[in-house]
Amino acid sequence: MEKNDKDPDHDDKSKGDEKGDVVSGAHGSDDAHQDGSSKENVDVGNAETEHDQTGDNNVDKVSQGEEPPEIHQTLESLSEELDQILTSLSLHKEDHKDGGTEENGEDDYFQIPQFVGKFLDLFEDKLSKYDTGEPKTVWYQDPEEVSSLLEAVDRVSKLMSLLLNTKSCLDHHEPLINHAGSIQQRAMAFLEDEFRIILEESVTKEPTVVTDDSNSQRRSTADQQDHQNDAVVSQDQDQMLVPECGDKEIVEYPGYPEEVVGVLRKIAEKMKGGGYGWECREVYLVGRRNILMRTLKHDCEFEKVSIDEVQRMSWDTLEREIPIWNKTFKDCSSLFFPGELKLAERIFTGDEGSLFCIITHGLAIQFLGFAEAVAMTKRSTEKLFKILDIYETLRDSFPAMEELFPEELRSELRNEVASARSRLGETAIHIFSDLENSIKSDSSKTPVPGGAVHPLTRYTMNYLKYACEYKDTLEQVFKSHSKMEREEEEPVESGNSAFASQLMRIMELLDGNLDVKSKQYKDIPLSCIFMMNNGRYIVQKIKGSAEIHEVMGDTWCRRRSSELRTYHKNYQRETWGKLLGFLGHEGLMHNGKIVKPNLKERFKSFNATFDEIHKTQTTWVVNDEQLQSELRVSITAVMIPAYRAFMARFGQYLDPGRQTEKYVKYQPEDIEDLIDQLFEGNTSSSSTATAKRRT
C-alpha cells in the first residue's frame, strides 16, 4: 500500500519509506546548497524579519487611517515561492535528521510563511472549479491546464511529505499539516475520478478486423448436399484480426489518442508521487477489465461461461459457442492482449506487465477451461471438427499469447494448454474409434432399393473427406496423443502415417460392411449394381479431394477401379449373357433348313426376357451419370450388333405381316432406345417403353 495516511496523528512510519525519494527530488546535489544550514537560517530569518517589518508598517498605516496596499496573488505566482520553501525545508530536514541539532543544543524550528496557506486555498478553489464545471473532463484537453493542475498536485504532495517527515513541522505546524492533508486527499480523489472517466470515455478508435478465409475455404469444398450429417460440416464463422507483423505496431486497440495516454500517464505519476499509486492502479484495473470484456462481447459476441455451463449445454448451443471462442482467443492473442500490455506499460512506466497479468490472466485461464470442458462432453462423431478447430486455435495462437506473460505465469499457462490439447486430442482419437465401431455395428437387414448408394457409404465418405481437410492436424493428434494399442492388428504399412493407417482401417471396414450388404440382394446383377454404385461413389469422393487422395494414394484408387470393372463384367454376364444366348444359331436349323417353330419360340423367349429385364432394371438406380452412361454403352455395344445380325439372318423366314408383328416385337433401334431407359429408378417405365415401341 503506497497511500499516505490522511490522519496527521497517525504513526508516520509508513511515510518514512518515501523519505529518500522525496528529499532527493526536492533539491538534488546542487553545489549552491553546500553551506546548507547557515544559508537556510539566513534565508528563513530574513523572510521572518521582512514579514514582521511589513506587519509593523501596515499597523502604522492603519493607525494613520491609510489602507494597506493589496497584493494580487495567483497559484502561478505563489508556485515559485513555494518551490523555494520546499527546497529550504528539504535541506532543513536533511541537516536536522537523526536529532543532530538537539545534540548540539541548536533549535530546529522552521518557520512556514503564510503564503503557503494561501497557495493551498487557491489550489482548493481550482479544484472546486473543476468539480463544478460541465463537463468535468474538459481540463485535460488543454495542455496548459494539465500542466498547471498536475504541477500544483505535485507541490502539495511534496509539501505533505516534507511536513510529515520533518520533526519541527510535526511539533509546530499541525494545523497546516491537517489543512494540506485535507486538500491532498481532495486532489487525489479528483484525479482518481478524472482518471476513471478519461479511461472509460476517451476511446476513439475501433479495432480493425479482417475475415480469416482459411476455415470458410476448407468448408466450401465439402459436398454437403448428400451428407446425412450436414450440421456436422456447417460453415464456421471464425474470424481473425490482423496480427502484428515485423516492426509494425498495433494501433487499432485499445484506441486511445496519444495525448490522452500522456494525460493518463501524468495522472498516474502524480498519484503515485502523492502516495496514492495503489488507488490509481485499482481504478485502472477495474476500468480496463470492464472495457476489455465489453469489447469482446461487442466485437466477438463473447461472454464468459463456466465449465459446468459448458457441460450442461446442448450440442446445438455449444456448436454455436465454439466459433465464438475460436475468434475471441485468436483476437486476444493477436490484438487485445498485446494492446492491453502495451497500454499498461505506457501509462505505468516500469510496471513490467503486472497490471496486464491481473487484467488478462484470469480470462486466459477461463479460455483454456472452456476448451477442456468441451473435450469432456459426451463424445459423438459430429463433434470431431469443432474439437479440431479448438485444437488448432490453441496450437496456432497460444505461442503468441504466452510470450506476453512473465515466465512464472507462462509455465502455468503452458501446463493448462498442454492439458487441454491432450484432452482434445484423445477425444478426437476416440471419436475416430467410435466411427469404426459404428461401421462395424451397422447391420441393417433391409437392402437399399434399386441398389443405390448406401447411406452408410455417403456418411462415411463425406466424413472422411472432411476429416482429411484437417489432415495435418489429425496427423499431429494421432502422433502426439494416441494411447490406443493395436498389437493384435496388422502392422502399419511402411511409409504410412498413423492417420493414414487409421483411414485405411476405416475403408477396409466399410468395404467389408458393403460386401455383407450386397449379399442381401437375391438378384446377383442387382448386387453387382449395388457394389458398383458404392464403389464408384467412394472413388469419386477420393479423386475429388486432393487431401483424401493424398492419403489413400493412386495405388489404392487403381485397385478399387479394377474391382469396379470386375463387378461390371459380372453384371453384364449375369444379365445380358443369358439374353445373348437366345440370339445364337443352335437348334434353329435341321438338315440345312430353318425350323420355324424353334425360331418362333426363340423370338418369343427373347422378347419375354428382354421385357422382364427392362421392367426390372428401369427401377434400379445409378445416380452417377458417368457410370450410368458406361453401363448403357457397354450393353448397347453387346446387344445391338448381335440382335441386328440375328434379325438379318433369320427375320426373313417369318411370313410378312401378321406373323412378323407377332414374333418380331422390337427393331434394333427400339432395343437401343429401351436400353437408354435403364437405371433411372422409374417404376412406371414399362408403359413408357410400350409407348416408344408403338411410335
Side-chain angles (χ1 to χ4, degrees), residues 553-678:
D554 290 329
T555 302
W556 188 93
C557 290
R558 285 194 295 269
R559 184 168 64 246
R560 177 52 62 95
S561 297
S562 176
E563 292 173 1
L564 290 179
R565 287 192 292 272
T566 300
Y567 288 123
H568 190 157
K569 291 176 182 178
N570 291 342
Y571 158 78
Q572 197 149 308
R573 183 181 64 251
E574 291 292 332
T575 300
W576 303 100
K578 182 178 179 181
L579 192 62
L580 285 173
F582 293 119
L583 301 179
H585 296 180
E586 295 81 5
L588 295 181
M589 300 186 67
H590 182 71
N591 296 327
K593 293 183 178 181
I594 298 296
V595 182
K596 282 192 176 184
N598 291 353
L599 179 61
K600 293 176 182 179
E601 187 62 31
R602 185 70 60 83
F603 271 109
K604 287 175 61 178
S605 297
F606 176 88
N607 293 337
T609 302
F610 181 80
D611 285 346
E612 182 61 28
I613 291 173
H614 180 268
K615 178 182 178 181
T616 300
Q617 297 195 15
T618 50
T619 65
W620 293 0
V621 178
V622 178
N623 288 326
D624 184 272
E625 292 183 0
Q626 183 180 350
L627 177 60
Q628 187 185 72
S629 176
E630 288 174 0
L631 285 168
R632 289 171 177 173
V633 167
S634 66
I635 294 168
T636 300
V638 170
M639 291 302 305
I640 298 305
Y643 187 70
R644 198 183 298 277
F646 186 82
M647 285 288 297
R649 176 73 175 83
F650 297 105
Q652 58 184 317
Y653 294 105
L654 297 176
D655 296 335
R658 202 175 104 196
Q659 198 173 63
T660 301
E661 285 186 13
K662 181 178 180 180
Y663 295 108
V664 182
K665 190 174 182 179
Y666 300 110
Q667 294 299 317
E669 295 76 13
D670 297 329
I671 297 290
E672 192 169 355
D673 290 341
L674 293 173
I675 288 173
D676 285 341
Q677 296 177 3
L678 302 179

Side-chain angles (χ1 to χ4, degrees), residues 194-379:
E194 294 298 285
F195 189 91
R196 179 186 298 108
I197 293 170
I198 296 171
L199 190 70
E200 293 181 352
E201 297 182 0
S202 297
V203 177
T204 60
K205 302 175 185 175
E206 293 297 329
T208 301
V209 299
V210 294
T211 303
D212 176 17
D213 293 329
S214 58
N215 282 331
S216 60
Q217 289 174 353
R218 168 186 283 167
R219 288 155 178 77
S220 65
T221 58
D223 295 333
Q224 299 178 24
Q225 67 276 9
D226 58 356
H227 197 311
Q228 275 196 330
N229 198 30
D230 285 346
V232 173
V233 291
S234 61
Q235 288 282 347
D236 185 339
Q237 301 297 326
D238 286 0
Q239 288 185 325
M240 184 176 180
L241 295 170
V242 180
E244 194 169 2
C245 55
D247 295 330
K248 182 180 179 181
E249 295 181 345
I250 294 177
V251 296
E252 294 85 355
Y253 181 85
Y256 292 105
E258 188 63 35
E259 58 272 17
V260 170
V261 175
V263 171
L264 291 171
R265 180 170 59 250
K266 290 175 183 177
I267 293 176
E269 290 171 352
K270 300 310 178 187
M271 290 188 70
K272 181 179 180 182
Y276 287 74
W278 176 247
E279 284 79 357
C280 185
R281 290 165 64 91
E282 277 292 298
V283 170
Y284 181 86
L285 288 172
V286 173
R288 285 309 309 170
R289 187 183 290 119
N290 291 338
I291 292 170
L292 176 60
M293 293 310 300
R294 284 201 304 269
T295 302
L296 295 183
K297 183 175 182 179
H298 178 269
D299 290 2
C300 307
E301 301 180 5
F302 172 80
E303 293 187 12
K304 284 185 177 181
V305 290
S306 67
I307 292 178
D308 289 339
E309 288 173 324
V310 173
Q311 297 283 306
R312 292 194 299 267
M313 281 183 185
S314 67
W315 174 241
D316 287 342
T317 302
L318 190 55
E319 192 175 24
R320 292 191 296 270
E321 288 293 324
I322 290 174
I324 293 174
W325 181 93
N326 282 323
K327 171 175 167 42
T328 305
F329 193 93
K330 293 174 184 178
D331 292 355
C332 284
S333 176
S334 63
L335 186 69
F336 296 130
F337 280 16
E340 290 295 340
L341 177 60
K342 184 177 179 181
L343 181 67
E345 291 177 342
R346 291 173 68 194
I347 294 177
F348 297 89
T349 306
D351 177 68
E352 297 181 351
S354 62
L355 286 170
F356 162 77
C357 292
I358 296 172
I359 292 171
T360 60
H361 178 255
L363 185 58
I365 293 296
Q366 196 274 336
F367 283 148
L368 301 179
F370 176 91
E372 198 155 353
V374 171
M376 292 188 292
T377 58
K378 184 178 179 181
R379 294 197 312 267

